Amino acid sequence: MGSKAGDSVDIPPERHAHVRKLLERPGPFTHPEFEPSKEAFDGFSSIVRVLIVGAGGLGCELLKNLSLLGVKQLHVIDMDTIDISNLNRQFLFRMTDVGSSKSETASKFINGRVQGAQVVAHHCKIQDKDSEFYRSFHVIVCGLDSIVARRWLNSMVCSLVEYNEDGSVKEETLIPIIDGGTEGFKGNARVIMPTMSPCIECTLDLYPPQVNFPLCTIANTPRLPEHCIEYVRILQWPKDNPFETETAIDGDDPNHINWIYEKSLERASQFGITGVTYRLTQGVVKRIIPAVASTNAVIAAACATEVFKLATSCSIPMDNYMVFSDVEGIYTYTYKAEKKVRYDHYRLFSLNSS
């Protein structure tokens, strides 16, 4: 007999029996110091504290994966609110949630759907939290779309690392960062051991540069629809001041985006340029990176797997950077990025100074 909506469903205690098999027997890639333990999964699910940074396309997938995996102490932090354009891939949100906090809405959904889930939401900027907040977690998983935010978080977690008198790292102060990122049909996942492995600062050249158009092109010889939108955003908006009391453009305000869209259409028609759409206008104004739900799912699955490996020691974590592409068939490749020595220099300088 099928259960009716609203009926409570008893989940057998051995719901994770298939996972216990991973924890109770060694495999070809098992960590050398791994000791099988029947209590391993219980400790993983109830003790490990995981912070998810970002509740967007990757964040929603991560919340779903980790909560279904059994992680009970999940926190999610995000300063953004839900936009209608998010609904095609951020599946924890509904039309009625538009305008609401992403972190709070996602947490409420998971807590109501997954038995035993205890997701805690933080609707704020990552910079609003102090070092003690970040120090309270065992693993931090990033689903960010900002290089600046990644660098800030990377710096914060590296600053939490402490050292013994002999210069070795105090392992209890080491908080791994698992970072995921996607762009269209491409993505990447990585494991960062702060100060010990390549970090965000070590690999800044892997991130694409911010696209900016020459002002002379925007003002005098536009050739692309993006040129028309940037002209309105940069030059026409401050000149016309369409909303008088509001001088800053709010990318989430449909009135602002619609005004820029209409003015961009007018300018595009003057130069015989086609392709200006409302969606493109919002994308240019908000610097939106194209996102595909299936890519988010693949990268989030890789990140969740790394959380599982780090929390249980059932296997050696990724070493240390994985790229994924689905542009022309499935392609994936894992390699070891090069570590720069800036943090080692800082550590040695601190030790010598003391």
Side-chain angles (χ1 to χ4, degrees):
M1 295 178 64
S3 60
K4 298 179 179 179
D7 290 349
S8 61
V9 179
D10 293 330
I11 299 178
E14 290 303 308
R15 59 178 290 190
H16 297 296
H18 59 294
V19 179
R20 289 183 183 276
K21 293 179 181 180
L22 290 174
L23 299 170
E24 295 174 7
R25 69 181 183 189
F29 304 106
T30 300
H31 192 282
E33 298 179 0
F34 171 67
E35 294 182 3
S37 170
K38 293 183 178 181
E39 305 301 323
F41 185 81
D42 294 332
F44 161 68
S45 62
S46 59
I47 298 175
V48 173
R49 288 169 55 88
V50 178
L51 173 65
I52 297 175
V53 184
L58 277 176
C60 286
E61 289 280 354
L62 287 165
L63 278 167
K64 178 260 295 181
N65 290 347
L66 292 174
S67 61
L68 289 176
L69 191 60
V71 181
K72 290 182 169 53
Q73 297 197 59
L74 272 175
H75 289 239
V76 57
I77 182 169
D78 195 303
M79 60 175 282
D80 206 358
T81 56
I82 301 165
D83 183 79
I84 192 171
S85 64
N86 302 146
L87 303 183
N88 69 334
R89 62 194 181 281
Q90 298 175 21
F91 58 91
L92 300 183
F93 310 138
R94 302 293 181 267
M95 184 66 73
T96 53
D97 297 323
V98 172
S100 302
S101 162
K102 283 188 176 183
S103 60
E104 293 172 359
T105 304
S107 299
K108 182 179 179 181
F109 187 100
I110 292 295
N111 289 337
R113 183 63 66 89
V114 181
Q115 183 176 1
Q118 302 171 10
V119 184
V120 178
H122 304 274
H123 179 65
C124 61
K125 298 179 181 179
I126 58 174
Q127 295 88 345
D128 292 339
K129 297 295 186 178
D130 60 17
S131 59
E132 291 306 311
F133 172 78
Y134 293 102
R135 199 190 305 273
S136 66
F137 296 99
H138 296 100
V139 183
I140 297 176
V141 193
C142 293
L144 292 165
D145 58 4
S146 167
I147 299 174
V148 174
R150 279 187 173 93
R151 295 183 70 180
W152 186 93
L153 188 64
N154 181 81
S155 177
M156 166 59 76
V157 178
C158 285
S159 71
L160 299 179
V161 177
E162 298 178 6
Y163 301 91
N164 297 307
E165 292 183 358
D166 61 358
S168 60
V169 172
K170 292 183 178 179
E171 293 187 4
E172 65 273 16
T173 67
L174 192 68
I175 305 172
I177 299 175
I178 300 173
D179 180 50
T182 65
E183 182 176 355
F185 293 102
K186 301 177 182 179
N188 63 79
R190 64 193 303 186
V191 175
I192 299 173
M193 298 295 184
T195 75
M196 298 184 68
S197 67
C199 66
I200 302 296
E201 293 294 331
C202 295
T203 54
L204 282 178
D205 55 330
L206 293 176
Y207 297 102
Q210 180 68 57
V211 176
N212 292 304
F213 301 105
L215 192 59
C216 58
T217 300
I218 295 172
N220 301 315
T221 56
R223 299 182 301 275
L224 302 172
E226 290 87 349
H227 293 163
C228 301
I229 298 169
E230 287 287 75
Y231 174 86
V232 176
R233 183 182 72 87
I234 297 174
L235 300 175
Q236 194 167 348
W237 176 279
K239 178 181 177 182
D240 293 358
N241 192 18
F243 296 91
E244 296 182 358
T245 57
E246 303 174 8
T247 56
I249 298 175
D250 184 352
D252 294 313
D253 189 329
N255 294 322
H256 290 198
I257 298 298
N258 196 60
W259 187 90
I260 297 174
Y261 166 57
E262 292 177 351
K263 296 299 180 182
S264 299
L265 277 177
E266 294 176 6
R267 181 165 178 80
S269 65
Q270 295 173 7
F271 290 88
I273 298 173
T274 60
V276 175
T277 64
Y278 183 92
R279 189 177 185 85
L280 177 64
T281 302
Q282 188 176 45
V284 172
V285 172
K286 295 183 66 178
R287 299 288 194 244
I288 293 176
I289 299 173
V292 177
S294 56
T295 310
N296 287 339
V298 171
I299 297 303
C303 291
T305 301
E306 295 307 314
V307 173
F308 180 79
K309 290 193 289 187
L310 284 168
T312 63
S313 295
C314 69
S315 182
I316 298 175
M318 181 194 306
D319 188 19
N320 50 49
Y321 197 105
M322 183 272 285
V323 293
F324 168 82
S325 175
D326 192 16
V327 177
E328 297 179 356
I330 303 295
Y331 170 82
T332 182
Y333 177 68
T334 304
Y335 68 95
K336 187 171 183 177
E338 183 178 352
K339 179 179 180 293
K340 292 184 179 179
V341 296
R342 64 182 67 191
Y343 285 112
D344 282 347
H345 286 169
Y346 173 77
R347 175 168 61 88
L348 292 173
F349 175 78
S350 300
L351 289 172
N352 293 334
S353 299
S354 60

